Each structure stands twice: as structure tokens, then as C-alpha cells.
Amino acid sequence: MPKTLIDGEGEMARRIRAHDWAATPIGTIDGWSETLIATVNLMLHSPFPTIVSWGPEMVFLYNDAAIPTLAGKHPEALGKLYCDVFVEAWGLVCDDLEACYLRGETPVRDNMFIPILLNGVVEDHYWNYSLIPVYENGRIAGIYDAYRNTTDVVMGVRRLRESETRLKLAAEVAKLGIFVWDVRNGVASWENERMYEVFGRPREKGPLNAESFMQEAIHPDSLTEFQEASKAMMSTGGVFHFEGMIRRGDGLVSWIEITGRLEMGEDGQAERMLGTVRDVTHIKKSEAALRTSEKLAAVGKLAASIAHEINNPLESVTNLLYLAQTSDDLAQVRAFLEMADGELRRVAVISNQTLRFYRQSTYPTMVLGRDLLEGVLTIYQGRLAQSAIKVEMRMRANVPVMCFEGEIRQVLNNLVGNALDAMALQGGRLLVRTRNATDWQSGGKGLVLTVADTGEGMSAKVRGKIFEPFFTTKGMGGTGLGLWVSEDIVKRHGGRLRVRSRTGTTESGMRGGGTVFTLFLPFEALP
Ligand code: ADP
Ligand code: MG
């Protein structure tokens, strides 16, 4: 039984045993030197891709781990010459091979760029390799070439570096400072220059103690928030978020936002935190500016409503004085004057109330719809008497409603005033009604007050804007605030103000315009 010279059951062990070596410069296996046999066996048992090239011709032998790097060439490569197997790479490696074979050098290369043919296609690859001369009787007989494809590593590092660059660029564009805080030793490292800018400090020399640095930097007024943010981190799965003031190195106070995330080690303990810091002072400033402008707008609204609220009772006083002047009945004159007195008192109440605050927060009272509407109509008696307007009343509601009487009167006052304005030219009918009803949307019960006119009506465009402040079609005669204020009042009563309207002239030229305002006040809304 012939002695097995080539050991192992791997693919290449079998192929080497079966190969027709007689046709190659190294001849049949029986004639191989002990060194060659030993070297080939060493190669076959190496877990690394390994090539043995033997003799001055460099006859090519390889192991199983090398097969993938010979895609398209395996198994034909076995027994060929090195320069024929790696035609494409020969120019890049021949110097090292020669240095090893001829001069006994041991070239070692890291991440060397050598494109090779894989399945007939040239691919860019990076390689680590070391060439070791194999001596026999004092002369070099072959080369032991262990190598490794490092393309993935090289590309991985490159990609990492690229994404790091991208991240840095993004951070720079977003003006983000990036930090890494090693929780275990408390050392923080600042990853970009922006950090120094945000904190207004020159670059530190030694390592930076995160805790003492933050203690120094955080403004005393924000210290509690900072501590709370640190505590909260444990319950939010390691997410840290803080917004507060710092004292910069240059003495300025600024607002910053820190966002970070703890990374856990394999032992489940916090290992390090990666985070960003952003200067948000300008945002804080513009927020403050916005608040001021909102306050200004509110003050403007307040002033406008005061003017409107005072204007209505004053208008009533004018009407009542007119009535008093034209009446001969002393008792009636007294009644008118009393009402005028009441209206003036309202002016006093309004100015009093508005001094305290915008809302007339007197207590709500129980009122009947009839009293509300009749009170309003009384005020317009003077104007109605001089016009071609007929008033039709239908008072059906008999349940009082809880409301701020003065405010609801103000709403009705404006509705009636608007209706009269709409009929000022051609006259018409003013319909005022009260009834009890259920709101179809909320299902709540309440009082419905209707003010309708047969006036000029509104186009869809106008109707869409009437609740906007300062919208008026009356030029200098209007303020455009009546309905806007009314809507606010009605909303505060939990009520609803609806409008239906159509313009006076239809396509057929027939008259028939008019507007219906429906005010719903729920019984239950106010305490
Ligand atoms: P003002 O009465 O000062 O104009 P309002 O807010 O009370 O302000 O009304 C806004 C606008 O709504 C009016 O200018 C008018 O164009 C329209 N409007 C309101 N009520 C009626 C109505 N009954 N008929 C026609 N247009 C109306
Ligand atoms: Mg009005």
C-alpha cells in the first residue's frame, strides 16, 4: 500500500493527490522532495488563504481557503505557473515574489490595492500578504504566500470615515456641537470646534471632567432643570434632554439645548453618552419677541372692544335722550332718562371692568329672552320711528337663560343695528323672535334668539368675512368689530351664532334679499 504523502480530506488535498503532476515542472508526487511535501501539507492545513509557488517557474498550488479568491480560475489554476494564474496582478506582485525567491526577503503588505479577475471580471480588492521563502538544502526552493482579502475592512473604514465626515459636515451646517462623554471615567471629549464656540471657551488642554465642567457652565437659574434632566434620563431609556441657560466662558449668558443618548455596555451599565449641543439663544429671543407682539395684539383687541362696548350704550343714550326730548309724557320722559342713566352706568361698569380685565366678569344672571330683545329694541325706537321699517316680534321662550346680560345685550344690539343698517335705504321688516330649542349639534337645550331683516343681504364673499375684525362694508360708518366681538362673547357663553343671508337682487331681478342671525344660548353652559 503506497504511503499517503499528501494528507487531509479537503477539496484541495484530494485535487492535489489526483492531479497529473507529470506534465508540470515539479513532476509526480512520488518524486517531490520532503520539503515540498511538508510545505504543501502545511499549506493545506492553514485556515488562511495560502499559495505555495514552487521552483523558479513558480508552479501554483493553493488550499481550500484560497478557492474563493480564484473564482473562475479554480480548479484549472492548480499546477499552472503563478504568472499565468494571476496575469492581471503579476505586474503588482512580481517584485515582491522575486525579492522573496531570489534574495530571501520576507515582504509583508497591508491593505495593498491589487485588482484581480474574478469570474472573468476585474474587481478592485485590497490584500494583506506575507511571503516566506522555503529553504531546501541551503537554497530557496519555493514561496509560502499567506494572504487575506481586506477589501471589506478597507471599505468599511472608508465608509465610516466618509459618514463621519458627513456627520461633521451636517453638524457644522446645523451648528451642532458634538460630544462624547465616557461615563465610566467621567471624561468628556469634544468632537468639533463648535463645542468651544457654544460654551465660549478656549480649547482645553488635558482631559475634560464632564461633571465639574457642566457644574461650572450651567447657569444657577437652570441648575434644577439640569439635575432633573439627568434624573429623567434613567426613566427615558437613557435619553437626555436639557434646555437652559449657561454662563459662557466669555461672561455672556446664553441658552443651550443638549440632547444625548446613553449607550449601554455589555454588562448593562451605562458606558458612554453621545450627544449634541446647540445654541438656542436666538430662538429664545424670537420667542420672547413673539410673546410681546401677542401681548400687544391682545392689548389692541382689548382697546378695540372697550371702544365698541362703550360706543353702544352711548348710542343708546343718544337715542333715549332724543326720545325724552320728543315726549310730552313726563312719566315716559322719566322712564327714558332712567334707562339712559342705566346705560351710562353700564359705561361706568364697562370701564371699571375693563380696567380690571378684558372680560366683564360680573356674575351671570337669569334673564328672559323677551327682556333682552325688548330692551335692545327700546334703544332703537327713535331710529325706528323715523324709518320705513316694521318690527315684528314673536316671543315664544318662557324659560330664562343664565348669561352675562350686558354682554348678550351688546351682541343683540349689534345684530339689530346691523339689520337696521341693511334696511336703511329701502326699509323693510325687522323680525325678532325667541324660542326654546335643542341645539342639533350638542343636543343641549337652550334659548334661541333670532334677528332677521329683509335688507340688502350679503354675498357669499362678504358672509365669509363678517366675523373677521375690522371687516366692514360701511366705510367710516362701521368699525367691523361688532360681529367679531359678538362671536367671542357667544363662545364664552357656550353658545352659537349662525347666519343665513342672500342678496337683494336675484337672477330674475325679483327683490327678496335678507339676513337671518340665529343666536343659541344653552341653559346649562354657565355656572
Ligand atoms: P360693522 O357693523 O361695524 O360694519 P359688524 O361686525 O357688525 O361691523 O358687521 C360686519 C359686516 O357684516 C357689516 O359691515 C356688513 O357688511 C355685514 N353685515 C352684518 N350684518 C348684516 C345684515 N344684517 N345685513 C347685511 N350685511 C350685514
Ligand atoms: Mg355692526
Side-chain angles (χ1 to χ4, degrees), residues 308 312 413-415 417-419 421 471-472 474 477-483 486:
H308 185 82
N312 277 319
N413 211 18
N414 182 52
L415 291 182
N418 284 350
D421 287 343
F471 175 80
T472 181
K474 300 170 191 169
T479 60
L481 292 170
L483 290 173
S486 298

Side-chain angles (χ1 to χ4, degrees), residues 72-94:
K73 300 170 179 168
H74 168 79
E76 293 76 20
L78 187 63
K80 282 199 177 159
L81 306 186
Y82 194 114
C83 60
D84 291 335
V85 176
F86 281 119
V87 187
E88 71 278 15
W90 184 250
L92 291 169
V93 295
C94 65

Side-chain angles (χ1 to χ4, degrees), residues 414 418-419 422 453 456-458 462 466 471-474 478-484 515 517:
N414 182 52
N418 284 350
D453 63 72
E456 59 197 14
M458 289 177 255
V462 167
I466 56 175
F471 175 80
T472 181
T473 52
K474 300 170 191 169
T479 60
L481 292 170
L483 290 173
W484 175 62
T515 303
F517 276 96

Side-chain angles (χ1 to χ4, degrees), residues 16 77 81 109 113-114 135 202 204 206 347 367 391 395 454 520:
I16 288 171
L81 306 186
R109 299 282 171 189
F113 178 62
I114 307 172
Y135 284 86
E204 306 269 334
V347 173
V367 222
V391 182
M395 306 298 184
T454 57
F520 173 80

Side-chain angles (χ1 to χ4, degrees), residues 501-522:
S501 184
R502 60 174 185 175
T503 49
T505 43
T506 56
E507 267 167 39
S508 56
M510 270 173 57
R511 275 208 66 223
T515 303
V516 182
F517 276 96
T518 318
L519 171 61
F520 173 80
L521 293 173

